[in-house]
Amino acid sequence: RGLPFVSHRTEVWFPPPPLSKPCSDNSYFPVMLKSYAMVCSGSTGRTTTVFHDYSDGKNVYIDVYMSECGFAKIPNVVISVEGSGYHWMALGTSSVYNTTPTTFRVYLHNENSGLDKTILASRSWNIEWVAVGFTC
């Protein structure tokens, strides 16, 4: 199970709030917007990513956790696979599944040679991600 490393979190206000009201969780948001967007990004880590076998030995998956971001609703998530080699041959490198405010799943596939978890680890494959969503 890969744990996230949240490397950046930015609150984006449109426009800057002249007045504010508390959200249901006692944080604040602009009166005119009733919520605000936040950008949060991270990585499963080059040395800490653990992929799991899925199906016929040619597929793997990983659940990515982003609960530290504090999203109240399902965010928009963009991913890429980063590593030291051969990840250009994989399919599914930008596909995100089962997104919730705290997690999402990525499935990777290689029709020709399969995906051996030991080789993926030796090549430092990991998931880099950016999520944009609302926190209240």
Side-chain angles (χ1 to χ4, degrees):
R1 165 174 156 173
L3 298 176
F5 173 75
V6 177
S7 60
H8 187 69
R9 177 179 163 158
T10 303
E11 296 174 358
V12 182
W13 298 80
F14 300 103
L19 301 170
S20 59
K21 286 177 136 179
C23 295
S24 60
D25 65 353
N26 293 324
S27 59
Y28 284 80
F29 62 90
V31 171
M32 65 214 72
L33 290 180
K34 299 185 180 175
S35 63
Y36 60 93
M38 183 183 53
V39 177
C40 191
S41 64
S43 171
T44 56
R46 291 179 179 161
T47 61
T48 57
T49 299
V50 177
F51 290 98
H52 303 282
D53 289 322
Y54 178 76
S55 188
D56 61 3
K58 294 185 177 184
N59 305 289
V60 294
Y61 75 91
I62 185 169
D63 291 317
V64 180
Y65 300 91
M66 54 182 180
S67 57
E68 292 89 353
C69 296
F71 294 120
K73 298 179 181 178
I74 296 173
N76 292 317
V77 179
V78 178
I79 66 164
S80 64
V81 175
E82 192 269 339
S84 64
Y86 298 98
H87 46 294
W88 65 271
M89 297 174 63
L91 300 174
T93 58
S94 62
S95 299
V96 178
Y97 293 86
N98 305 324
T99 306
T100 72
T102 59
T103 189
F104 61 90
R105 180 172 280 192
V106 177
Y107 292 94
L108 299 175
H109 173 77
N110 186 320
E111 183 63 39
N112 298 324
S113 61
L115 293 172
D116 181 290
K117 294 185 304 183
T118 306
I119 294 172
L120 301 185
S122 72
R123 293 183 179 144
S124 303
W125 282 29
N126 66 96
I127 305 298
E128 303 282 335
W129 55 272
V130 176
V132 178
F134 293 98
T135 57
C136 63

